[in-house]
């Protein structure tokens, strides 16, 4: 080998070694932290022309971006159906799930959750002239939920029949068109739908719907990533970042 070629070969070998040591290029092990979401859940995640991560914007997307940056990584988003998120996480297709996801005991059986970053509750969206004033009033009404959301679990546990839709917007359209009487969904998202559509209102029932905590999910046992995520979330809770984001995006979507 000529000397120049040797030097080049050595340099290439060193780059490769450095890559093996830091594992560049491979999901969370490298510079990239891939979050799975379902971008159908404003103000937490939605698709827009120019979001904080590619075309994705919302409270969760800003949090994801910041977590990655705080750990010298770049956030990437994989948008998929809500029901597919935990499977994709277990398969290793994504590193973490950030999707306004409530940390439930059932989900804890398959994944680990971070420190919670937001408290929500299920609410009922009804027509302005509806006589539904409490959860029990749904008994003889036509109820719509979104498939796989905790709202579906709540209504199911109450023993009421319901129809499940793939997207919140579809369930709300059903209500707007008078084909159902009530949509049960998370509070902040409900606010967004009510401000987007004429003639709707929110009915709360704190005695029927427990408060829920949103958290980021990682693969069971991935303590290394979980600790990084927790450190970042705790910093963003302590310095008011999460609060600011919540205010910013609820105002932004309430226009
Ligand atoms: N908080 C509810 C749940 O965990 C709904 C979350 C929906 N999130 C979404 N990105 N579509 O089931």
């Amino acid at each position: 080998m000529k000397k120049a070629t040797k030097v080049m070969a050595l340099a290439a070998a060193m780059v490769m070694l450095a890559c093996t040591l830091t594992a560049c290029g491979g999901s969370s092990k490298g510079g990239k932290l891939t979050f799975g979401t379902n971008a159908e859940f404003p103000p937490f995640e939605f698709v827009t022309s120019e979001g904080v991560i590619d075309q994705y914007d919302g409270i969760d997307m800003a949090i994801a971006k910041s977590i990655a940056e705080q750990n010298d990584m770049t956030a990437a988003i994989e948008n998929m159906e809500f029901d597919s998120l935990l499977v994709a996480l277990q398969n290793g297709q994504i590193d973490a799930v950030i999707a306004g996801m409530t940390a439930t005991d059932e989900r804890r059986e398959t994944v680990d959750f971070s420190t919670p970053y937001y408290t929500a509750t299920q609410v009922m969206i009804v027509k302005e002239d509806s006589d539904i004033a409490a959860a029990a009033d749904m008994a003889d009404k036509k109820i719509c939920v979104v498939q796989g959301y905790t709202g579906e679990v709540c209504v199911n546990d109450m023993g009421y029949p319901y129809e499940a839709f793939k997207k919140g917007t579809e369930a709300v359209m059903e209500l707007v068109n008078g084909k159902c009487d009530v949509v049960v969904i998370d509070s902040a998202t409900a606010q967004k739908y009510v401000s987007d559509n004429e003639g709707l209102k929110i009915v709360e029932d704190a005695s029927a719907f427990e408060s829920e905590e949103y958290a980021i999910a990682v693969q069971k046992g991935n303590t290394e990533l979980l600790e990084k995520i927790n450190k970042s979330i705790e910093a963003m809770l302590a310095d008011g970042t999460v609060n600011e984001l919540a205010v910013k995006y609820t105002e932004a979507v309430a226009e």
Side-chain angles (χ1 to χ4, degrees):
M1 257 194 259
K2 276 202 196 124
K3 198 168 178 202
T5 324
K6 261 193 202 161
V7 171
M8 297 265 289
L10 185 64
M14 278 170 71
V15 168
M16 273 170 68
L17 179 65
C19 272
T20 333
L21 292 176
T22 58
C24 356
S27 69
S28 67
K29 291 167 230 100
K32 197 162 94 179
L33 187 58
T34 305
F35 289 90
T37 198
N38 167 254
E40 299 276 354
F41 198 63
F44 295 92
E45 42 266 335
F46 50 93
V47 175
T48 182
S49 48
E50 217 176 299
V52 286
I53 306 172
D54 306 325
Q55 71 269 42
Y56 304 107
D57 209 359
I59 300 167
D60 284 349
M61 301 298 97
I63 290 175
K65 188 187 166 100
S66 176
I67 289 173
E69 280 170 1
Q70 287 179 59
N71 291 285
D72 295 319
M73 292 189 264
T74 312
I77 295 297
E78 282 220 26
N79 188 21
M80 61 187 82
E81 282 187 6
F82 188 75
D83 274 347
S84 308
L85 286 166
L86 295 189
V87 179
L89 180 61
Q90 282 170 292
N91 289 343
Q93 187 188 335
I94 51 179
D95 299 311
V97 171
I98 185 158
M101 183 174 274
T102 306
T104 66
D105 289 342
E106 202 192 334
R107 291 171 180 158
R108 275 183 207 286
E109 284 174 15
T110 53
V111 296
D112 286 342
F113 280 105
S114 70
T115 301
Y117 59 89
Y118 190 89
T119 305
T121 182
Q122 298 301 307
V123 299
M124 296 167 280
I125 313 178
V126 297
K127 285 267 177 79
E128 250 160 17
D129 61 359
S130 170
D131 57 3
I132 295 175
D137 298 331
M138 296 195 292
D140 54 352
K141 304 284 190 195
K142 196 168 170 239
I143 308 170
C144 286
V145 298
V146 188
Q147 197 178 304
Y149 285 20
T150 39
E152 177 179 14
V153 178
C154 286
V155 173
N156 194 41
D157 288 350
M158 288 172 182
Y160 301 140
Y162 60 83
E163 193 174 345
F165 290 83
K166 285 248 179 224
K167 299 176 180 185
T169 46
E170 289 170 3
V172 170
M173 273 311 118
E174 201 78 353
L175 175 64
V176 168
N177 296 333
K179 292 192 209 139
C180 85
D181 303 305
V182 52
V183 174
V184 176
I185 196 162
D186 301 55
S187 37
T189 305
Q191 290 289 355
K192 160 72 177 154
Y193 291 142
V194 168
S195 60
D196 277 0
N197 295 277
E198 292 269 295
L200 302 181
K201 67 173 181 185
I202 286 175
V203 177
E204 294 176 27
D205 187 343
S207 62
F209 302 110
E210 286 172 9
S211 75
E212 301 183 13
E213 292 190 306
Y214 294 172
I216 295 173
V218 298
Q219 265 186 359
K220 237 190 186 338
N222 191 353
T223 46
E224 195 191 331
L225 179 58
L226 194 61
E227 276 167 20
K228 287 181 180 161
I229 290 175
N230 280 345
K231 236 179 133 189
S232 303
I233 288 183
E234 282 153 26
M236 283 188 277
L237 286 169
D239 72 6
T241 305
V242 173
N243 239 325
E244 277 165 31
L245 288 171
V247 170
K248 176 183 162 193
Y249 281 103
T250 38
E251 279 175 357
V253 297
E255 280 164 14

